[in-house]
Structures are given as structure tokens and as C-alpha cells.
Amino acid sequence: MRADGGFAKVSYAADLIRFPDTGAQGTARAIESARSGVLIGGTRGLPYFLDLNNAVNPHVFVCGITGSGKTYLMRSLMLKLAQIAGATIVLVDFTGEYKALVDQAGEERADPKLADSLLAKKVSGIVYINLADSGNQRIRASIADDVLTSMIEGMRMRAANGKRVYIMLDEAWKLLERSKALQTLLREGRKYGYGLIFSSQLVEDVDLAMLSNAATLFIFRLQNRQGLSRLAANYGLRSGQIETIQGLGVGSCAALQTLVSGKREFCLIKNVHGIMLDDIVRLNAGGATRHEIARSKLEEAVCEACSEGDAQEALRAGERNGYVDLSALIVFLLGRGANRRRLLAALRKLGIGEDELADSFAAAVASQRLNE
Ligand SMILES: Nc1ncnc2c1ncn2[C@@H]1O[C@H](COP(=O)(O)OP(=O)(O)O)[C@@H](O)[C@H]1O
Ligand SMILES: [Mg+2]
């Protein structure tokens, strides 16, 4: 067996000819990153693996228009980095859209005030901070800023203990624009093994100094010319590459990485590989956000107030256009003689807000009266 593991040596130049405009990593690089990285998706050539140890710094910026696939990639990254690469993820979730996935990963919600001490104790896994019901945007941003500040203190205090930490912020750029902590993390994180993974739909707003601190970029479909030209200038993109980005479909992106060697890599990912959620129920509780809850958890909760057979039937009865409508679910359960207090307590435990519960119960009772 040969020292390189038996793989034939293929020159990078040959790959460049085969994949003009570098739609894929060269063979040697692809094999190397497959050994230590996590799978992102397929390209025109070999699958693309992300190896953050090979980048100049551990920070990642994900951009693209709404609906282009940013969150899909972030979810996949969160689980793969935590469960395959053995990193610790601190996820600050502003809208609760990661809750179902975090539940399934067997992780619990952390108190923002205890986030850093939890991080210190964890060897790998996810420290999950859900701010969905923590007040208005300004309040959430201020809690997130406090979390980042405490992380920085902890990071400096404990210094390099070989641990890899990634702090993930989805669509938070606008909220944390003035956060000193965010800037500090980007500047100092590398020394301590702390990376920031953040996303935004607006490239034109993100500070260029900040952008140049992120060695890895995932660019989904972008249309705004101003934003694109900023990226192009900052990262030396060619006009063909810019055109490609403007025409990307949902779930496709360009991966741009500045390697330790100084070389820049541009790869086109045809389809980001996601994490399959098994059976998630989207619950409409009347508020602005939709809850995503694992079906088994919702059934379990409903079971606390009624019999098991009724729970499955109740979820079907509550279905409205792909969502389970909470008030329709409650109407059904109350009709079956469910215990109101126990139902309320069980739903509360799922993380449904007090206002939403009050509204849904009121709507259910009103509709029951109409039917009487
Ligand atoms: N690679 C992909 N494969 C399959 N579906 C995808 C992929 N990327 C995104 N989607 C779907 O497209 C929709 C929008 O994706 P999302 O990640 O929420 O976009 P964004 O966060 O950029 O607004 C979602 O329903 C998501 O499940
Ligand atoms: Mg999103």
C-alpha cells in the first residue's frame, strides 16, 4: 500500500482543465478534506467537504436572498460539526426555528445567563439558546449581545484548551450590527479556536472589515448588484462566477474559502446535503412564528391529557394546509373530554408561549360554543 493511502495522484492542473472555473475541489484537496471535514454537498466533480481547520480562520459567512437555502445549510452544519467534527456549537436562535432539530439531537435549551458555564463543561454538542419568546427584537439582540460578551470572557480566561467552538447566528447580522462582542469574536476568535458562523440576506450592509475576517463564504442566490460587487471586489470573483451566483437555484451555492496556504478556492455546490428531520409537525398557534415540533413529542404532550389513540386522531383533526392548527387541536381534544389543565401544562412544556396558549384556548372555546 502506498503512503498516500493508495489513491492515484492527480494533478490540480488536470482538475482545473476538467472543471473550468473550478466547479469542484481538485482531487487531492477533495480527498484531504474528506478525511477531516464534513460533507456539504455534491459538485460537478467530487463531493465537497468543509474542513475549517484548513482555512485561514474558523469564521463562516452564509449569504443569499430569502428562501435560497441558508438555514438549511446552517442546520446541517450545526449537527455535523457537533456530531461528526466533535465541536461545541453555541446556537443563538432568534425565532425558534432550530428547536425541533435541537430536540431531536437530544439537546436542551440553555439559560442565556448560564451559556458560558455550560459551554465550559461540554466536551462537544450544542448549547442552545432559544430567544423566540424573550421579548421584542431589541431585547433579544441585547440578550444575544450579553451571551457573546460572556463567551468572550470565558474564551480569554480558559485560553486555548484545544476545544473547537462555533457560535452560530442565523439572520442576526442586522440585530448585532453594533455589537462590540461580535467584532471582538471575529478578530480574536481564531487564537482561541472560536469560530463565528453567521448569515444574512443583505451583503451590502455587512461591514467589509468583518467580511474579510471570514475565510469561508457560502454564497447562495444573490441579486442585489451592489452587494455582489462588494463581494466580488473583496474576494476577487470573476464576472462568470458572479453570473453563476445570480442564477443559483434553491439549495445551490458557491463555496469560497481562503486556505492556510493563501490559495483561494471557488467551488459550486449543486445541492446542499441536509439533515433529514424525521416527521416534524409545524404547529400554528396563532402567533407570528410557526413552531416546529417532533411529532412524537407533540403526541406525547397531547397524551398527557387524553388517551393514546385520541392523540394521533387529534393531530389529524387539527391539520390545516400542512400545519396543525392549535385551536382546532384543542377543540378536538376538549370534545373528547381531555383534561384542560393537564393539556395546558403539556403544551406549555413544548415551548408554546403564554399569549399563544391563551388565544388558542379562547378560540377553541368560542368555536365549541358555536357548535353547541
Ligand atoms: N439543499 C436543499 N435541499 C432541499 N430543500 C432545500 C434545500 N435548501 C433549502 N431547501 C428548502 O427551501 C426552503 C427555503 O430554505 P431556507 O434554508 O429556509 O432558506 P433561507 O434561510 O435562505 O431563507 C425550505 O423549505 C428548505 O427546506
Ligand atoms: Mg433562514
Side-chain angles (χ1 to χ4, degrees), residues 181-239:
L182 198 71
Q183 320 271 349
T184 310
L185 258 172
L186 276 167
R187 269 197 328 266
E188 288 183 30
R190 188 179 61 85
K191 282 203 296 235
Y192 301 98
Y194 275 53
L196 190 69
I197 303 182
F198 61 115
S199 81
S200 176
Q201 14 175 326
L202 305 163
V203 181
E204 53 278 23
D205 283 7
V206 178
D207 187 39
L208 272 184
M210 253 186 96
L211 258 189
S212 56
N213 267 313
T216 306
L217 240 77
F218 289 99
I219 313 171
F220 286 83
R221 185 187 190 124
L222 274 180
Q223 281 162 329
N224 181 298
R225 242 159 222 281
Q226 201 189 341
L228 262 169
S229 19
R230 274 165 69 102
L231 275 188
N234 212 38
Y235 288 91
L237 292 180
R238 291 194 295 278
S239 61

Side-chain angles (χ1 to χ4, degrees), residues 284-288 325-328 330-331 340 344 347 352-367:
N284 179 2
D325 183 77
L326 185 58
S327 61
I330 295 170
V331 168
R340 207 188 147 117
L344 191 63
L347 292 170
I352 300 167
E354 288 305 318
D355 290 354
E356 293 174 315
L357 286 173
D359 289 352
S360 303
F361 268 89
V365 170
S367 112

Side-chain angles (χ1 to χ4, degrees), residues 72-125:
Y72 194 90
L73 169 69
M74 301 270 282
R75 286 178 202 237
S76 171
L77 271 180
M78 169 184 83
L79 280 193
K80 288 173 177 173
L81 289 172
Q83 300 192 336
I84 301 173
T88 311
I89 306 293
V90 179
L91 173 67
V92 184
D93 185 356
F94 287 86
T95 60
E97 62 181 337
Y98 287 79
K99 183 176 176 295
L101 189 57
V102 172
D103 274 353
Q104 287 199 342
E107 301 276 359
E108 284 176 14
R109 178 178 184 162
D111 180 336
K113 290 198 182 69
L114 302 176
D116 185 61
S117 53
L118 204 63
L119 171 65
K121 278 190 230 131
K122 261 194 190 296
V123 180
S124 70

Side-chain angles (χ1 to χ4, degrees), residues 70-71 97 170-171:
K70 299 182 294 296
T71 299
E97 62 181 337
D170 194 351
E171 297 281 354

